[in-house]
């Protein structure tokens, strides 16, 4: 009784159209249908945060949205966070502060920090920690990520 | 030797790729015709398989194959999986069949594989496979399972004790008879799973044209996987290639060789199409090895000044249903004794006990945290009973710097004497004491008490054997473009090996970091390797790179010297160029030298020089171990009203020898401490009495997240190891080893007069019950304190 | 962990929704998806039909009508956190939302979804109870109102029949200057509570409590208003001694006993949280947190 749909998604500024079952979640659509494998699956029940992407500027769990629901959203994934040949201050700060090791949780963390700081780069360390608390990491112990958020916030405030 | 980059916080070369989502993990691999698989797994803790009906599943949409044990037999793979690490004490070394034959012994044991067009369809068909299992009695909990009247974990084996291990030295009876003090305690430790954020996964592709099998797997040990796979399938290694792509965390369990790594290749070979299996998180809870319980009943002997003189006792270790990793884990726990202490005698025996649960194997720390927990809890007991500062008990009991190298009394498997190579444990403790403000704690405690707040401080020390051999290897090759290619068997799961090895190579060869390319963890590109376990890669692979790069440097200098007609001492090498000192126009690039050593047909090699500007080294440490060590201090607050523990600050002082990249080492330590926090306060893999996992999801199995972590402060001490050209020791697990001990010790100290805390994890309800044992309102909960619970 | 197959529907009108509900018995309504899609990924729940409420604009948004905050069931938790009507009239909800999951789940999770899922440890049902919520239920056969006390039928079972859906929630506004307190005890930031308390205090000019709500959640299988506590509060002056005495009222609760906490401990925690929430509410009510 598979319900196959034609689905049209706006991802990183580009429209894509593909066929998929309606049960396909957005993360699988990005990974398997659009070849955007930067968004990762760590738990598929909404806790680990590895699949976090931006939908209309808000951080969301891509494993808990059906692709068919995402058709009117402006989706931004890790691959589209910075303009070509440039990096986002969050990416630079993560590298400078030891915010990643194996890289698996990283795209989700970057998405959350970008969402937080693009909304308002004036953030306390506690605010940044709270945003990072929506992510599980087994490598870094989180300290480097929070440091990265603080550094990126400063960079983005200076840029304004 | 040049030390431009070694020792610096070089930014990681891996980061640019990972930060832009260009990592390539197993589930990211794309191959023409790739099919996806799902496994049918046992939902019973123990049972006899009556039938596996795949008829309906085979006809479902998109299904290409459903394979069971019968298909393994037909493929010549019907025996139990090979045991990679046999040990004389493990009488049988029981491993599982790659797909269950006639009995299942743990929830999660694989029974069948479904291969379909995509994972959704594979799961649909997997749920249509009808498995009829006749339930058999289940044994859960290693102490109970060891008893004579326990149910059989395997129906045809009447004893659940897989091995009886025993370590020791010295005259234990004499030491205890002479002791001024003897204290006994029962210590119960629970670990949990590794929970790397990337679950496991395997892709297999087979070519009928040349009988070539390629397997990508999220592994720490591609060479071991190849060896076991070839052994089990009767294949030659040279036509079997195993590689680890980007791997999202390992922490131990990815060093094992798994049934899925056998079955997925068989499916690919049967279908003539590439097949992938990606483990999902629910599977990870029941399909990937974990650690669970160790219980130790011990006595510690101390002299009148509180110096620890001896340890004896018996222990139980939960092995799970099989021994895929042999007895490496329980043995590592035992051989971690006597830790940093100069004990006069040790005697500990351990029963390695099967239970009807997923098998266990090393998880970060690999049993050493268990030994450290026991030693540190007993050191605190001595401190408590004799009213001595816990730090002082350590000072009085430590092996001293003057005693190095120190033969502990223990023996390696080959009979040789265990010897700590170097170190000053007391100095390291002082560094931790100083940085943590340990001396000022009493004042802080009293001030907080006046505010109705309860603070505690705990201190714990450890020694870690790192850099185990027998070897690791690397090839350094310069191409005619000047590109330096560094190839190694070493596998990376986030530790920044590419950066660390590049730094070593860049310094040894005097080239820029960016001219170096790394290839790793591929049996097709590098002939031999061991695996990333036991904090060994910096020592073993790093030293190989050092040696190989140095050899290349020497060769290049010799060729240049000959070309310029000078001695090598008249040359300087910098930035990929060799020039005559004082004559910068007399200069030749490494690339050009490489080209001279790889000319065209009819060309001539320089005399007495072999072809190619490259060298390969397999560094071996002759079986000698480099011992890292450290001391941790944890400061906590316990909220009496609720039993909540708040971590206030955490301090690490450690010595892992010469540090190649301090930022990477910081990351390893902080990450390791957070694993320890999980062990101390959060992680408990619960099974009911039928072997059903109770909390196999991330809402109920708790891993620490960012708001639960205190500031973690690190002091680095660098005493170069004499055992390798880098002077390095391992750093991957030291953060975890004493962490639970430091935290539990701190909680205990926050609540003086309450019962000893001899287990972990410790949850708020247990603490609440301990605090309020005499309150009538909580008399109902007091029973909880006696039980091994996490709530 | 891929969901079992289902047919997806996305009605754009109330009429269409009504027809779908009539046509498909057992269809699951999809709100924010943070609970339902997780359960479906795990195959705990395998509906044949899923009806997505996202395209029904009339189910979103917050309005102030006759001193009631009227919240569309599909309003997201993130929207509620920054809504001016909610911050003015139901600040308790803003305080509670800080404990509901994480930013990344609040961007999708809805008030209606939380009220229909009815996890015993969820925060928003407790807030609804404090604010005397009236739930507007719609079906093909008409509309009905359900008072929040009648909403809790059993463990994770609301008074929502086959073919019905929750359309809006009316929350009683509390007077300006009222005090609110929200405390929960969870193992980690964002987790479901082991126990929690939500309180409202209205303090008159003579510093006497003229109205109170005291709700404990996570202890029983549903959030519970402690009427004995409220009765003791009304007419009294707020004081630490009074609050301390009242914390023992949780011992009457029929607490859940499971692998994560015993009933006795939950009751105890509920009492501690109650005391803290009452203290916070009192401080806020008498003008400014101390």
């Amino acid at each position: 009784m598979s319900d196959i749909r034609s689905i049209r998604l706006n991802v990183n500024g580009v429209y894509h159209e593909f066929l998929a079952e309606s049960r396909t979640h957005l993360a699988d659509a990005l990974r398997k249908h659009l070849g955007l494998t930067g968004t990762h699956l760590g738990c598929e029940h909404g806790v680990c945060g590895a699949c976090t992407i931006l939908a209309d500027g808000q951080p969301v769990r891509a494993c808990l949205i059906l692709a068919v629901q995402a058709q009117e959203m402006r989706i931004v994934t890790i691959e589209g966070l910075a303009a070509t040949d440039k990096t986002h201050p969050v990416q630079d700060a993560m590298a400078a502060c030891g915010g990643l090791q194996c890289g698996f949780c990283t795209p989700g963390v970057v998405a959350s920090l970008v969402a937080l700081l693009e909304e308002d780069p004036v953030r306390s360390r506690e605010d940044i920690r709270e945003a990072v608390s929506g992510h599980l990491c087994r490598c870094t112990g989180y300290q480097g990520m929070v440091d990265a958020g603080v550094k990126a916030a400063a960079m983005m405030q200076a840029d304004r | 030797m040049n030390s431009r980059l070694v020792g610096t916080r070089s930014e990681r070369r891996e980061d640019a790729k990972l930060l832009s989502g260009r990592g390539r993990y197993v589930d990211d691999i794309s191959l023409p015709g790739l099919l996806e698989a799902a496994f049918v797994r046992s939902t019973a803790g123990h049972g006899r398989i009556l039938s596996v009906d795949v008829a309906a599943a085979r006809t479902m949409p998109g299904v290409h194959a459903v394979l069971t044990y019968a298909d393994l037999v037909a493929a010549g793979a019907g025996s139990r999986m090979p045991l990679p690490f046999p040990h004389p004490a493990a009488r049988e070394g029981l491993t599982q069949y790659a797909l269950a034959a006639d009995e299942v012994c743990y929830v999660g044991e694989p029974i069948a594989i479904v291969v379909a067009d995509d994972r959704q369809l594979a799961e649909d068909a997997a749920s249509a496979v009808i498995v009829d299992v006749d339930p058999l009695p289940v044994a859960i909990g290693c102490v109970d399972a060891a008893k004579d009247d326990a149910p059989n974990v395997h129906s045809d084996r009447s004893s659940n004790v897989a091995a009886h291990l025993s370590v020791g030295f010295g005259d234990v009876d004499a030491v205890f008879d002479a002791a001024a003090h003897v204290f006994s305690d029962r210590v119960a430790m629970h670990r949990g799973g590794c929970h790397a954020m990337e679950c496991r996964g395997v892709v297999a592709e087979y070519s009928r044209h040349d009988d070539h099998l390629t397997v990508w797997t999220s592994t720490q040990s591609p060479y071991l996987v190849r060896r076991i796979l070839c052994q089990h399938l009767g294949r030659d290694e040279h036509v079997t290639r195993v590689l680890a792509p980007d791997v999202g965390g390992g922490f131990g369990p990815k060093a094992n060789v798994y049934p899925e790594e056998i079955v997925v290749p068989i499916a690919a070979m049967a279908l003539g199409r590439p097949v992938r299996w990606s483990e999902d998180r629910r599977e990870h809870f029941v399909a990937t090895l974990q650690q669970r319980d160790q219980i130790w009943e011990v006595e510690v002997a101390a002299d009148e000044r509180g110096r620890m003189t001896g340890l004896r006792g018996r222990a139980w270790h939960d092995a799970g249903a099989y021994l895929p990793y042999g007895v490496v884990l329980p043995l590592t726990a035992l051989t971690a004794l006597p830790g940093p202490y100069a004990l006069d005698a040790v005697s500990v025996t351990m029963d390695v006990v099967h239970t009807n649960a997923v098998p266990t194997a090393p998880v970060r720390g690999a049993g050493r945290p268990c030994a450290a927990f026991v030693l540190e809890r007993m050191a605190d007991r001595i401190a408590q009973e004799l009213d001595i500062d816990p730090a002082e008990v350590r000072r009085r009991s430590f092996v001293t710097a003057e005693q190095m190298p120190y033969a502990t009394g223990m023996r390696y498997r080959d009979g040789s004497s265990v010897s700590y190579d170097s170190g000053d444990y007391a100095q390291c403790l002082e560094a931790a004491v100083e940085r943590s403000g340990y001396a000022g704690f009493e004042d802080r405690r009293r001030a907080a008490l006046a505010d109705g707040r309860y603070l505690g401080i705990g201190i714990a020390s450890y020694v870690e054997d790192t850099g185990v051999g027998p070897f690791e290897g690397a090839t350094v090759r310069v191409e005619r473009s000047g590109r330096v290619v560094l190839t190694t068997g070493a596998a990376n799961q986030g530790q920044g090996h590419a950066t660390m090895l590049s730094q070593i190579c860049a310094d040894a060869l005097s080239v820029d970091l960016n001219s170096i390319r790394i290839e790793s963890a591929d049996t097709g590109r590098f002939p031999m390797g061991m695996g990333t376990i036991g904090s060994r890669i910096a020592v073993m692979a790093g030293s190989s790179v050092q040696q190989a790069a140095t050899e290349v440097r020497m060769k290049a200098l010799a060729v240049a010297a000959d070309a310029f007609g000078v001695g090598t001492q008249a040359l300087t090498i910098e930035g990929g160029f060799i020039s005559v000192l004082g004559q910068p126009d007399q200069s030749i690039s490494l690339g050009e030298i490489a080209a001279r050593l790889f000319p065209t047909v009819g060309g001539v090699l320089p005399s007495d020089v072999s072809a190619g500007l490259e060298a390969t080294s397999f560094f071996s440490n002759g079986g000698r171990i480099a011992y890292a060590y450290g001391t941790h201090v944890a400061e906590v607050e316990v909220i009496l009203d609720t039993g909540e523990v708040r971590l206030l600050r955490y301090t690490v002082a450690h010595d892992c020898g010469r540090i190649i990249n301090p930022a990477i080492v910081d990351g390893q330590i902080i990450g390791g401490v957070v694993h320890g926090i999980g062990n101390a306060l959060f992680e408990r893999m619960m099974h009911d009495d039928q072997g059903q996992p109770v909390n196999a999801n991330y809402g109920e199995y708790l891993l620490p997240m960012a708001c639960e972590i205190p500031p973690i402060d690190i002091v680095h001490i660098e005493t170069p190891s004499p055992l390798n050209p880098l002077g390095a020791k391992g750093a991957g697990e030291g953060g975890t080893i004493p962490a639970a001990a430091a935290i539990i010790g701190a909680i205990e100290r926050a609540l003086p007069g309450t019962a000893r805390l001899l287990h972990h994890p410790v949850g708020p309800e247990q603490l609440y019950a301990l605090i309020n044992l005499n309150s009538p309102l909580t008399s109902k909960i007091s029973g909880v304190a006696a039980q091994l619970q996490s709530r | 962990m891929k969901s079992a197959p289902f047919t997806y529907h996305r009605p754009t009108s109330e009429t269409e929704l009504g027809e779908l509900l009539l046509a498909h018995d057992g269809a699951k309504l999809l709100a924010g998806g943070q609970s339902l899609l997780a359960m479906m990924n795990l195959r705990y729940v395998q509906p044949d039909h899923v009806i997505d409420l996202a395209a029904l604009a009339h189910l979103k948004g917050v309005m102030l009508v006759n001193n009631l905050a009227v919240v569309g069931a599909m309003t997201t938790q993130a929207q509620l956190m920054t809504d001016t009507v909610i911050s003015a009239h139901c600040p308790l909800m803003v305080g509670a939302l800080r404990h509901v999951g994480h930013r990344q789940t609040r961007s999708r999770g809805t008030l209606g979804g939380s009220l229909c899922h009815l996890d015993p440890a969820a925060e928003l049902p407790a807030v609804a109870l404090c604010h005397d919520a009236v739930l507007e239920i719609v079906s093909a056969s008409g509309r009905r109102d359900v008072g929040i006390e009648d909403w809790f039928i059993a463990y994770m079972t609301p008074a929502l029949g086959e073919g019905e859906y929750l359309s809006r929630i009316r929350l009683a506004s509390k007077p300006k200057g009222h005090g609110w307190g929200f405390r929960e005890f969870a193992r980690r930031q964002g987790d479901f509570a082991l126990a929690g308390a939500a309180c409202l205090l209205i303090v008159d000019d003579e510093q006497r409590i003229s109205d109170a709500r005291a709700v404990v959640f996570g202890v029983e299988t549903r959030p519970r208003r402690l009427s004995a506590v409220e009765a003791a509060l009304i007419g009294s002056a707020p004081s630490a001694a009074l609050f301390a005495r009242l914390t023992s009222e949780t011992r009457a609760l029929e607490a859940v006993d499971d692998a994560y906490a015993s009933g006795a401990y939950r009751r105890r925690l509920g009492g501690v949280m109650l005391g803290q929430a009452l203290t916070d509410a009192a401080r806020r009510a008498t003008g400014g947190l101390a």
Side-chain angles (χ1 to χ4, degrees), chain C residues 11-43:
Chain C
T12 53
S13 72
E14 233 186 76
T15 320
E16 201 187 334
L17 173 57
E19 285 162 5
L20 284 167
L21 285 169
L22 272 178
H24 303 295
D25 233 22
K28 279 285 183 194
L29 291 167
L30 175 59
Q34 303 303 284
S35 303
L36 179 61
L37 291 179
M39 293 196 299
M40 288 174 67
N41 286 348
L42 284 157
R43 296 199 181 205

Side-chain angles (χ1 to χ4, degrees), chain B residues 123-124 280 282 641-642 644 681-682 686 695 698 700 702-703 705 708 764-765 768 777 780 791, chain C residues 1-2 4-5 42-44 185 187-189 191 258-262 264-265 267-269 272-273:
Chain B
E123 288 193 16
D124 293 344
D280 63 40
R282 179 169 45 191
D641 268 352
T642 59
E644 181 190 357
L681 301 177
F682 291 103
M686 293 192 269
N695 59 340
Y698 278 162
E700 294 166 332
L702 304 178
L703 293 170
M705 298 177 97
E708 287 76 55
E765 179 167 352
Y768 181 83
L777 214 68
K780 271 189 233 172
R791 59 186 201 190
Chain C
M1 279 172 61
K2 308 300 178 189
L42 284 157
R43 296 199 181 205
Y44 289 160
F185 183 79
R187 292 302 318 274
R188 300 172 305 183
Q189 170 69 31
D191 282 354
D258 64 18
Y260 307 102
S262 72
Y265 180 59
R267 276 193 288 271
R268 196 59 189 153
L269 278 181
V272 174
M273 295 298 111

Side-chain angles (χ1 to χ4, degrees), chain B residues 364-544:
Chain B
R364 198 169 199 169
R368 297 177 193 83
C370 299
F373 192 76
V374 170
L375 286 167
E376 297 309 300
R377 296 282 62 229
M378 298 320 288
D380 280 350
R381 174 80 186 270
I382 294 169
Q384 227 176 46
E385 298 273 359
L386 270 57
D387 200 22
I388 302 173
D389 177 12
E392 194 54 32
V393 172
R394 274 78 177 177
R395 288 188 190 100
R396 292 176 190 176
S397 310
F398 274 162
V399 174
T400 66
E402 293 71 41
Q403 290 174 292
M404 296 295 180
Y406 176 77
T408 65
M410 300 281 280
R411 299 214 161 259
Y412 289 117
R413 200 191 301 191
D414 64 2
S416 63
S417 176
V418 170
S419 175
Y420 295 158
D421 58 329
S422 59
D424 188 338
Y425 304 156
Q427 178 205 37
C428 190
L429 180 133
E430 294 319 324
V433 158
E434 206 252 305
R435 180 66 72 91
S436 63
Y438 187 90
F441 172 74
E442 244 329 278
D443 290 342
R444 292 196 289 285
R445 192 189 67 80
R446 263 188 254 110
L449 199 56
D451 261 348
R453 297 170 55 223
Y454 290 78
L455 303 189
I457 197 162
I459 189 165
S461 300
Y462 71 96
V463 167
E464 184 194 357
D465 52 307
T466 72
V468 67
F471 63 81
E472 203 56 68
T475 295
V476 174
R477 182 177 85 253
V478 183
E479 299 189 326
R480 66 186 72 245
S481 63
R483 167 79 63 229
V484 178
V485 181
L486 193 169
T487 311
T488 176
N492 164 72
Q493 307 86 45
Q495 300 93 330
H497 291 159
T499 302
M500 183 259 298
L501 297 176
S502 295
Q503 287 172 261
I504 294 167
C505 184
D507 277 1
L509 203 43
S510 297
V511 293
D512 295 332
L513 209 58
N514 291 331
S515 65
I516 301 171
R517 287 288 175 269
I518 312 256
E519 299 172 343
S520 64
D522 182 348
T523 66
R525 285 196 170 150
F526 194 80
M528 296 189 287
M530 286 292 130
T532 300
I533 51 163
S535 313
R536 63 188 293 276
I537 293 301
V539 168
M540 300 301 289
S543 297
S544 302

Side-chain angles (χ1 to χ4, degrees), chain B residues 24 212-217 219-224 226 237-238 240-247 472-473 475 486-492 518-532 618:
Chain B
R24 186 168 173 256
H212 205 96
L213 175 66
T214 306
V215 179
W216 293 260
T217 170
T219 183
Q220 294 166 231
S221 325
Y223 296 87
L224 187 64
R226 182 178 65 170
E237 287 194 359
H238 78 280
T240 308
R241 180 180 179 192
V242 177
L243 39 150
D246 286 320
V247 173
E472 203 56 68
T475 295
L486 193 169
T487 311
T488 176
N492 164 72
I518 312 256
E519 299 172 343
S520 64
D522 182 348
T523 66
R525 285 196 170 150
F526 194 80
M528 296 189 287
M530 286 292 130
T532 300
F618 288 94

